[in-house]
Amino acid sequence: MPTTGTFTIETPSGTVRATAGPRHTDSVVFELHGAMRGSVHVTGTQHPHYWDQFTAVRACLGPVDAYQMTAPDDALPRLARGGTGYHGSLTRYPADYVDCVEVSVRQPTTAAGNEPSAKTTATLTAVLRACADSVAQRDDLPLILDASRLRRTPGLLRFLSSASARADADAVRCEAESRAARPALKAAVAAWWTAARWFTAQPHPLLMMMLENRDGSLARLVHVMEWQGPYFAECAAEAKARADRFRAEAVSLRAQQRGRTRRRGAPVSVGTKETV
């Protein structure tokens, strides 16, 4: 597919013309004309479910990557007949289990933080989707994705390290909760039976309230303790799995960086016609 050129996008607000500029290593900026004016920035990014797989593209309203910096209000895209600039983004990525494409849309807002009308939202989303689709079909998409991974990897490694540490801490906390629930359940059951024997020997309304399944009663405490042990054990297992996945993704990213450096050398400056 050509790396430059103009295409049209039919939207509820009218026809928008988008012209792709030259690739800036890991991104393409589209200039908009017609029913919308301004620009859309499209770059490579990681799959939303797999932090180490750069298989997605993200389109942002404005001339820059909204996840890295905020475009000035006067640089935000706007409808041809309006003066309001808009924030928003769309991520296009392969589906997990079927051979198709999925999109995730970050709700567009005005520069003041208000949600636009349904018609304007549909227009902005259509433009973002068309620009993302255009980049996804380019011959140089692998270069964009590779350069995006190079740029994003240091920050992702810091995030994954922090995330795995938090998941490890969650696993330790949940395991402690699960262990504590077992003796607590035993004590609660023993207390219930003691109250039951007292009630049998001498019935009393207060004892009945302790034996019934109601807020603050011994029966409710037994019920809570019965599910807390298995619940926290399951939470601990899930936290361990998250920590392991984060560590595996970090290992994968480091391996990709090392392999890329051995194969192709150091990255080159933005704006050059490198092969990355």
Side-chain angles (χ1 to χ4, degrees):
M1 183 172 179
T3 57
T4 59
T6 300
F7 57 94
T8 59
I9 310 162
E10 298 302 327
T11 78
S13 301
T15 301
V16 177
R17 297 188 304 278
T19 302
R23 176 170 60 91
H24 297 287
T25 304
D26 67 343
S27 65
V28 177
V29 175
F30 294 84
E31 294 300 325
L32 308 176
H33 304 280
M36 253 183 96
R37 61 183 186 274
S39 54
V40 169
H41 180 283
V42 183
T43 187
T45 190
Q46 73 275 1
H47 192 288
H49 305 155
Y50 310 101
W51 296 88
D52 60 327
Q53 296 181 20
F54 276 72
T55 56
V57 295
R58 185 175 62 239
C60 299
L61 293 171
V64 298
D65 186 350
Y67 283 69
Q68 299 296 318
M69 63 187 77
T70 302
D73 289 351
D74 59 2
L76 294 173
R78 57 204 68 218
L79 299 180
R81 296 181 181 178
T84 301
Y86 297 99
H87 296 284
S89 66
L90 177 148
T91 301
R92 180 191 192 276
Y93 57 95
D96 285 349
Y97 303 112
V98 292
D99 187 18
C100 66
V101 171
E102 294 186 358
V103 296
S104 173
V105 181
R106 190 176 189 178
Q107 172 63 45
T109 61
T110 66
N114 302 314
E115 288 191 11
S117 67
K119 179 180 177 181
T120 298
T121 296
T123 296
L124 299 172
T125 301
V127 170
L128 287 170
R129 177 64 188 264
C131 292
D133 287 345
S134 176
V135 170
Q137 296 168 31
R138 289 169 62 109
D139 293 336
D140 59 353
L141 175 63
L143 308 184
I144 293 172
L145 295 176
D146 196 30
S148 299
R149 178 180 53 76
L150 287 171
R151 175 175 60 82
R152 292 274 293 148
T153 289
L156 282 174
L157 288 175
R158 290 191 295 271
F159 163 77
L160 291 170
S161 175
S162 175
S164 60
R166 288 196 301 270
D168 282 333
D170 286 344
V172 170
R173 176 181 57 80
C174 289
E175 285 177 336
E177 294 277 7
S178 179
R179 288 194 299 271
R182 289 192 288 271
L185 171 61
K186 184 177 181 180
V189 170
W192 189 92
W193 279 109
T194 297
R197 287 192 293 271
W198 290 347
F199 182 79
T200 301
Q202 187 173 354
H204 191 280
L206 287 178
L207 291 173
M208 176 60 72
M209 293 175 63
M210 295 175 65
L211 296 171
E212 292 177 341
N213 188 10
R214 58 194 298 170
D215 290 344
S217 70
L218 285 173
R220 179 61 58 84
L221 180 61
V222 169
H223 176 70
V224 170
M225 290 297 105
E226 282 178 335
W227 66 260
Q228 270 196 350
Y231 169 77
F232 282 112
E234 183 178 349
C235 288
E238 291 175 352
K240 285 180 179 178
R242 279 200 312 276
D244 290 343
R245 189 182 77 247
F246 290 144
R247 279 189 284 268
E249 289 173 337
V251 169
S252 172
L253 280 173
R254 292 190 184 97
Q256 290 178 64
Q257 291 292 77
R258 288 194 298 269
R260 191 266 179 191
T261 300
R262 285 196 300 268
R263 290 193 312 272
R264 301 169 184 173
V268 301
S269 301
V270 170
T272 58
K273 296 185 180 299
E274 80 288 3
T275 301
V276 294

